[in-house]
Amino acid sequence: MPEVSVVVIVYNDAERLPTAVRSVLDQTLRGIEIVIVDDHSTDHSYEAARELAAEYPDRIRAIRLPENSGAGGEPRNAGIREAAGRYVMFLDSDDVLERDACRNLLEAADETGSDIVSGLCVRLHKDTRNQKRDEWYPWLYSATRTLESVTELPDLFVWDTLSTNKCYRRDFLIENALRFPKGMFYEDLQFIAEAYLAARRITLIPNQVYFWHVYEKAARSSVTNSRHDMMNYRHRLEIHRRIDALLEQRGLDALRRAKDVKFLKHDLVLHLRDLPFRDDAYRREFARLSREYLAGVDRSAYGRVAPAQAVCAYLLQRDDWENLIPAVDTLIHREKISTPLAERDGRIYWCADHLDDPLGREVLDVTDLGYHTRPLDKMFLRNRLTDFEVTGTALRLGGRITNPLGVIAADAPLSAELVLSARRRSLRSFAFPVRSLRHDGDTVHWETEADLSARLRPLGLVDTVWDVRLRLDAAGVRTTTRLTVGDIPLSDGELRVRPRLTRAVGDHVEAHTSAKGHLAFRLVTRGRQNARMHDLVLGRLHGRPGALAKAGYRKARSVRNTVTSGETKLRVYHDVYSRLPVRGRTVVFESHLGRQYSDGPRAIYEEMRRQGLRFEAVWSYRGSPGEFPADATPVRRWSLPYLKALARAEFWIDNQSFPHRLTKRPETTYIQTWHGSALKRMGFDLPEQKAMPRAGREAQQEALNRFDHFLIRSEHDVDTLARAFRLRPETLLRVGYPRNDALVAAREQEREAEREGPRERRLDRGPLAAELGIPADRDVLLYAPTFRRTGRGADRFEPPFDVERFAAEFGDRYVLLIRSHYLNHVVLPPTVAGRVIDVSARHDVTPLLTLADALVTDYSSVLFDYALLDRPMLFFGYDYEEYAGGSRGTYFDLPEVAPGPFIRTEDEFFAAVEALDLAAGDGYEEDRERFRARYGEYDRGDAARTVVDRFFAEWRQ
């Protein structure tokens, strides 16, 4: 008896069948039989199967169904009946198995006694040049694990619904009468759901076992690429109904809710994205079928999917096409704002309709998306095409641009231009003025005419597709939009053009709708003679000359990719740039890996400028260099100019780390200012660092050994940071942090002015308070939490208290500034405007600390800095046990030494704010004094001057 029977199903796929079968024959496990089941093909697939069986009679059997079943279920059922192996696997004729798949799955099955063993499936996009690959829900297969029930891992039941990346104990299939539904698409979903629920034990292994070949350009579309067929959607819903009934029968409500979430965020979305390209009849039938099914979806599922997914599902259920189609536009283009939005009671809603329905009010609330916080130039607005007409050589267009929440003021002067750009980057673009613009409240209406024939002169071969954009300027602020075609017919959209090479490559441009629904033009050939020439040119392109040209292009692009790769840059840095002479008086500055112009490097740089030193400054940046100093040379981090500057610099100054793999030259001095004293464990004190292989630890230590000087602010830094980084004692500079000089100075000024009282100090806060719009009669609280990784994305942070409640209770006394960690961002509702202000985008926190009358934090290192000001501090440690007791741990127990109240709940927080009395003091003055002495003993206000005097004094003019 064979160990494993692999059932290979085929229908009209004679060409690829041998490759699939060969992947089974080549398995490292030898005890395998192959059962090929032909679903009554009309090509010679069955003949190919019989030839394979004749060639390997002891290993392959071929059978043919008497009639075509219409789907993949019945061939697999026939394979189960014919299989003789202890275990059964399934393989489609256009896919292949990984070479060790059967061995790995069988060994896991024998070791665990599992009914099902599942491995990782990898999708290979065969139409792409490099066969792009993506792993099928890899988080499920990060390690070997055995489940006694699928309810232990609902994600497995919900997401990995494939039947093909698994092996099944054959007796298990027989005993439970597990079969695929006959004649139904998505047969895998029902079969695997029943198998999961019947299995007494399931094992997952982290090995690749199955390669799913995706052919998006195939002549015959697969089921997954035939979503436009309404039968496809009917089958999907019917399969889901059957699974729902199965779960309801077994009382598995949690699994049902999880499956409802998956339906809203995956199954439904696949079909929603096609709606803008379908006719009214399709849309009506789609809506009818969807409403019937959505009526049974658990209401809580709407709150567990992305807002755009929930909004689309709700509007579909309500048959609200006017709001649904724009919502689908946002579903396709995540950042596009497709609706005017509505504000009610300080919340932002997708539309003003359905807000009387509790579910509608919940689902349509899109406040957390932060649309209301974006300036016009950061908005991607929907621009719906309303007019399209070709008259002679001219093109007449019109459209409406969404104006969300009136961000484009009614009295704003408007101008616009229409831009046609070749889709290939770095090629030409053409702009045409927009003749008419008018403000229509929720939209901006525009119209224009453009003579494409006179201006558009494509080359012909490399610029055959042209995208259309409209650039709108409102009161000097520009935003760029794409033209959404919608239901506007483009069938008569052809215009004659004169290509620069030859008309044989095209003599007209015709309008068409891009894959994502936007207006574009493509070069086509219309004349009979030109068409013959076009075919001749294409024949050349696809013949040997074209093959040579394409090969040359691919080689050039490969060379370019190689030249710009990380490994090549490292070689250029070490083998080329590091052989150039060091440039004296050159300093490369970097703060937080190039994200900011801030912290210790900024303080040292500005002190060098203040002293009038003569030197060349280079600042590293990521993103945009806009906020970096104009009197320095900006270089993009990890670019070749960046590497060249580092290789030739006399000094490196940063607060985190220059790229680890860059070796510092002996002639270069590296001053590490660091970015904060340590509460949480660092460096080699971390468990993951201790568990790292020796080579990894040595590489990490080598990067740390580049520091020539490491700034510290207390002996606490010596006991924690210096020890955790294994720094040499001679590298430590006990001078304090340069960024904190401003805080020490502010405290000294306050002491001198104490006789004037706090009110006078608040009246003269400087330009930052005026810029933020802080009234003179309000005190300022700063909330600055540490970095948090949340379930809604690593960059999203939600304050642990109700900001609207804060604004309501304390808005007449305080302005609350919120500065999230630079790796997080926060979205505030519009109701708190002026009373709660997001200042996270500001590079440097020091001016904010100086401005704040009190600090609210958790475990951020700013707590060590703010203590220098001797102002009240509140410690909101709502998750302290989780934070301190996790794998990372802390160097000391913060609640024991915090120089201010340590609070854990929202109510305690509001009570502490209520009890604040900035004029009378908070009773923690002695605690703050001890805290400063322990953690800021070397912060004397002269750190930047001391560093500059020590290392750069000779550079004075």
Side-chain angles (χ1 to χ4, degrees):
M1 183 170 60
E3 298 285 357
V4 178
S5 295
V6 178
V7 177
V8 183
I9 66 170
V10 61
Y11 175 70
N12 286 355
D13 198 16
E15 184 178 345
R16 291 180 294 198
L17 175 62
T19 301
V21 172
R22 176 61 59 186
S23 75
V24 186
L25 292 171
D26 291 343
Q27 288 290 300
T28 54
L29 180 70
R30 305 313 301 169
I32 300 175
E33 73 160 354
I34 303 171
V35 180
I36 304 176
V37 183
D38 174 58
D39 195 8
H40 206 84
S41 297
T42 58
D43 71 351
H44 58 283
S45 293
Y46 183 54
E47 287 74 12
R50 293 183 64 184
E51 290 174 4
L52 289 166
E55 186 177 357
Y56 300 94
D58 297 333
R59 304 189 64 187
I60 300 177
R61 287 182 286 147
I63 62 174
R64 189 185 196 203
L65 298 188
E67 60 181 5
N68 180 254
S69 67
E74 192 58 19
R76 292 194 182 112
N77 291 338
I80 295 173
R81 290 192 296 269
E82 291 290 328
R86 291 197 299 127
Y87 287 87
V88 177
M89 294 178 61
F90 303 109
L91 173 64
D92 291 347
S93 61
D94 53 350
D95 300 330
V96 295
L97 295 180
E98 196 275 336
R99 191 165 183 267
D100 295 311
C102 294
R103 177 180 297 277
N104 289 330
L105 291 167
L106 181 64
E107 287 180 351
D110 285 340
E111 182 178 343
T112 62
S114 295
D115 294 324
I116 303 173
V117 179
S118 184
L120 182 64
C121 171
V122 178
R123 284 163 51 100
L124 295 178
H125 297 260
K126 304 294 285 186
D127 297 333
T128 60
R129 177 168 289 119
N130 298 317
Q131 294 198 14
K132 186 186 76 168
R133 53 183 285 146
D134 55 79
E135 297 178 342
W136 188 257
Y137 306 116
W139 77 84
L140 296 170
Y141 297 97
S142 58
T144 299
R145 64 182 301 179
T146 297
L147 311 173
E148 300 302 322
S149 167
V150 74
T151 57
E152 297 176 22
L153 187 60
D155 276 356
L156 179 64
F157 181 89
V158 169
W159 292 105
D160 188 0
T161 55
L162 300 178
S163 65
T164 49
N165 59 331
K166 301 169 177 64
C167 79
Y168 310 83
R169 189 167 56 84
R170 183 177 177 277
D171 289 345
F172 160 73
L173 298 178
I174 301 301
E175 292 163 4
N176 291 278
L178 291 171
R179 297 293 185 271
F180 291 85
K182 183 178 179 179
M184 296 288 292
F185 299 150
Y186 306 106
E187 67 281 351
D188 278 26
L189 274 67
Q190 180 177 337
F191 172 82
I192 199 62
E194 293 176 349
Y196 278 148
L197 295 174
R200 291 169 296 178
R201 183 171 295 168
I202 303 168
T203 294
L204 310 181
I205 61 174
N207 308 82
Q208 296 178 2
V209 299
Y210 195 90
F211 293 109
W212 175 359
H213 291 171
V214 180
Y215 299 90
E216 294 180 356
K217 300 176 184 177
R220 181 171 60 90
S221 297
S222 65
V223 172
T224 53
N225 289 329
S226 305
R227 290 187 296 270
H228 58 280
D229 186 342
M230 187 57 68
M231 183 62 69
N232 184 306
Y233 190 53
R234 290 193 184 97
H235 283 200
R236 185 188 288 271
L237 292 181
E238 175 58 27
I239 292 293
H240 274 278
R241 288 190 185 94
R242 295 180 183 183
I243 298 173
D244 292 342
L246 185 66
L247 294 174
E248 184 177 355
Q249 179 183 356
R250 294 175 178 243
L252 298 174
D253 296 338
L255 276 184
R256 169 66 191 275
R257 285 191 294 271
K259 195 187 82 60
D260 284 347
V261 170
K262 189 250 189 177
F263 179 82
L264 293 182
K265 71 190 309 181
H266 176 74
D267 299 80
L268 183 62
V269 166
L270 290 175
H271 295 268
L272 282 170
R273 293 167 67 92
D274 291 334
L275 283 185
F277 311 102
R278 305 292 169 236
D279 57 25
D280 286 341
Y282 180 96
R283 292 177 185 177
R284 286 194 299 271
E285 179 64 6
F286 177 79
R288 184 187 68 79
L289 295 172
S290 299
R291 286 196 301 272
E292 292 176 2
Y293 186 79
L294 288 172
V297 169
D298 191 282
R299 173 173 173 164
S300 67
Y302 287 89
R304 296 170 58 189
V305 301
Q309 296 165 352
V311 167
C312 286
Y314 177 81
L315 294 174
L316 178 64
Q317 190 177 7
R318 297 298 298 260
D319 206 27
D320 183 352
W321 291 94
E322 182 178 352
N323 288 307
L324 172 60
I325 293 299
V328 172
D329 205 0
T330 293
L331 190 69
I332 299 172
H333 309 92
R334 186 172 57 181
E335 295 301 316
K336 184 182 286 190
I337 306 177
S338 302
T339 171
L341 304 174
E343 182 176 352
R344 298 287 188 275
D345 303 321
R347 306 294 295 178
I348 305 300
Y349 295 93
W350 183 260
C351 58
D353 304 310
H354 316 298
L355 300 185
D356 55 341
D357 174 23
L359 179 60
R361 198 171 186 87
E362 176 185 335
V363 170
L364 299 174
D365 188 336
V366 292
T367 308
D368 288 348
L369 293 178
Y371 291 146
H372 59 286
T373 67
R374 300 183 192 177
L376 178 61
D377 59 347
K378 301 297 183 184
M379 288 183 170
F380 179 21
L381 301 178
R382 187 172 196 247
N383 187 347
R384 181 173 61 86
L385 197 65
T386 56
D387 294 291
F388 181 92
E389 183 179 359
V390 175
T391 55
T393 62
L395 172 68
R396 188 170 68 83
L397 297 172
R400 292 184 178 275
I401 302 172
T402 299
N403 183 20
L405 301 174
V407 67
I408 304 172
D411 57 352
L414 303 176
S415 63
E417 61 180 2
L418 198 69
V419 181
L420 271 74
S421 304
R423 186 165 294 177
R424 290 278 182 88
R425 294 193 308 176
S426 78
L427 295 177
R428 297 187 64 186
S429 64
F430 301 87
F432 305 87
V434 172
R435 305 296 184 191
S436 171
L437 281 162
R438 69 174 183 270
H439 199 294
D440 287 343
D442 286 345
T443 61
V444 171
H445 183 264
W446 61 272
E447 295 177 346
T448 195
E449 290 188 3
D451 188 349
L452 297 189
S453 299
R455 293 285 308 281
L456 183 59
R457 296 291 309 280
L459 291 173
L461 293 176
V462 295
D463 54 354
T464 56
V465 180
W466 292 74
D467 293 314
V468 186
R469 293 173 174 82
L470 187 140
R471 294 174 182 161
L472 174 68
D473 188 293
V477 181
R478 172 173 286 187
T479 187
T480 300
T481 67
R482 298 291 302 271
L483 276 59
T484 299
V485 175
D487 297 324
I488 298 297
L490 304 178
S491 57
D492 60 346
E494 289 185 8
L495 290 159
R496 293 182 61 86
V497 294
R498 291 186 300 150
R500 295 177 181 273
L501 294 179
T502 169
R503 291 187 179 181
V505 298
D507 53 13
H508 285 72
V509 290
E510 68 175 8
H512 77 107
T513 305
S514 72
K516 292 193 173 182
H518 294 139
L519 178 64
F521 288 90
R522 58 190 170 200
L523 194 62
V524 296
T525 304
R526 281 293 174 263
R528 179 180 300 177
Q529 182 176 353
N530 286 340
R532 287 199 297 268
M533 289 295 295
H534 179 264
D535 293 340
L536 177 62
V537 171
L538 287 182
R540 293 286 186 179
L541 286 176
H542 294 297
R544 179 170 175 76
L548 291 174
K550 292 176 182 178
Y553 171 74
R554 286 195 293 268
K555 184 175 181 181
R557 191 169 68 173
S558 175
V559 169
R560 177 185 176 188
N561 292 339
T562 301
V563 168
T564 57
S565 70
E567 292 300 323
T568 300
K569 287 180 177 179
L570 285 171
R571 288 197 297 270
V572 170
Y573 173 84
H574 289 108
D575 298 342
V576 180
Y577 292 156
S578 293
R579 297 179 185 273
L580 299 175
V582 169
R583 299 182 62 177
R585 301 194 180 207
T586 300
V587 187
V588 178
F589 297 88
E590 184 173 287
S591 178
H592 292 301
L593 307 179
R595 289 183 175 89
Q596 296 179 356
Y597 172 56
S598 67
D599 211 86
R602 173 177 180 170
I604 293 174
Y605 169 78
E606 292 181 348
E607 177 64 19
M608 295 172 73
R609 289 298 188 204
R610 189 188 66 79
Q611 292 192 22
L613 304 189
R614 185 166 58 87
F615 68 105
E616 180 182 351
V618 178
W619 266 96
S620 159
Y621 73 90
R622 292 179 64 174
S624 170
E627 295 192 37
F628 288 80
D631 55 358
T633 301
V635 291
R636 185 182 298 276
R637 197 174 198 268
W638 201 235
S639 66
L640 289 175
Y642 170 81
L643 298 177
K644 186 175 182 180
L646 284 173
R648 304 195 66 187
E650 186 175 354
F651 282 87
W652 293 358
I653 300 178
D654 89 316
N655 69 344
Q656 199 155 337
S657 179
F658 288 110
H660 284 187
R661 297 175 67 186
L662 301 183
T663 301
K664 183 183 71 68
R665 300 172 67 171
E667 305 96 316
T668 301
T669 300
Y670 190 167
I671 301 175
Q672 174 58 252
T673 69
W674 203 240
H675 54 274
S677 296
L679 167 61
K680 49 188 174 289
R681 295 189 180 277
M682 304 289 291
F684 291 103
D685 288 342
L686 294 174
E688 57 266 32
Q689 294 278 13
K690 296 177 181 179
M692 185 183 296
R694 176 180 295 180
R697 293 197 304 271
E698 289 176 351
Q700 182 79 5
Q701 189 62 62
E702 187 174 340
L704 294 168
N705 288 344
R706 296 177 304 172
F707 301 159
D708 294 299
H709 305 284
F710 188 89
L711 274 55
I712 62 171
R713 55 189 306 233
S714 69
E715 289 304 306
H716 170 73
D717 290 352
V718 177
D719 297 335
T720 55
L721 292 172
R723 181 179 56 79
F725 293 154
R726 300 174 183 173
L727 301 179
R728 303 182 305 276
E730 60 270 21
T731 66
L732 306 183
L733 292 183
R734 292 169 168 81
V735 297
Y737 281 173
R739 73 182 186 198
N740 288 340
D741 292 348
L743 301 179
V744 176
R747 176 56 187 152
E748 292 302 320
Q749 293 173 3
E750 288 180 14
R751 285 174 175 167
E752 294 176 4
E754 280 180 353
R755 63 180 181 275
E756 300 178 10
R759 176 61 56 188
E760 287 70 22
R761 180 183 63 76
R762 285 201 302 272
L763 290 175
D764 185 20
R765 284 177 163 145
L768 179 56
E771 182 182 345
L772 295 175
I774 297 176
D777 63 343
R778 301 288 196 279
D779 290 313
V780 178
L781 299 185
L782 173 64
Y783 177 49
T786 192
F787 171 70
R788 278 180 172 78
R789 195 175 299 277
T790 68
R792 298 188 64 177
D795 61 342
R796 179 66 186 276
F797 172 73
E798 296 182 6
F801 55 89
D802 186 340
V803 294
E804 291 181 295
R805 177 184 171 189
F806 181 95
E809 293 189 15
F810 304 114
D812 59 341
R813 292 172 52 189
Y814 297 110
V815 171
L816 177 67
L817 307 180
I818 296 184
R819 188 180 193 271
S820 61
H821 190 276
Y822 67 85
L823 294 177
N824 289 131
H825 80 273
V826 66
V827 175
L828 300 176
T831 49
V832 302
R835 294 171 292 174
V836 183
I837 303 173
D838 179 17
V839 292
S840 304
R842 294 185 174 269
H843 279 209
D844 202 347
V845 71
T846 302
L848 298 171
L849 296 176
T850 305
L851 177 64
D853 296 292
L855 173 72
V856 181
T857 187
D858 44 18
Y859 331 113
S860 170
S861 64
V862 297
L863 67 92
F864 298 100
D865 305 321
Y866 194 79
L868 299 172
L869 290 166
D870 194 24
R871 299 177 191 169
M873 304 166 68
L874 304 179
F875 297 86
F876 195 170
Y878 60 94
D879 57 355
Y880 181 72
E881 279 69 28
E882 176 184 350
Y883 183 88
S887 60
R888 187 161 187 175
T890 60
Y891 285 114
F892 59 87
D893 189 13
L894 182 60
E896 292 295 323
V897 300
F902 195 92
I903 49 189
R904 300 175 185 271
T905 68
E906 182 181 47
D907 288 339
E908 289 179 3
F909 167 66
F910 284 109
V913 174
E914 178 66 38
L916 269 179
D917 189 340
L918 300 177
D922 63 347
Y924 284 89
E925 292 79 6
E926 293 184 4
D927 297 286
R928 285 196 293 273
E929 181 64 34
R930 286 192 297 269
F931 194 84
R932 286 194 303 275
R934 175 69 179 91
Y935 300 106
E937 59 188 300
Y938 301 129
D939 279 323
R940 295 180 286 262
D942 60 354
R945 187 174 70 249
T946 300
V947 170
V948 172
D949 289 346
R950 174 166 178 173
F951 296 102
F952 309 108
E954 62 184 41
W955 293 2
R956 292 190 174 91
Q957 296 284 4

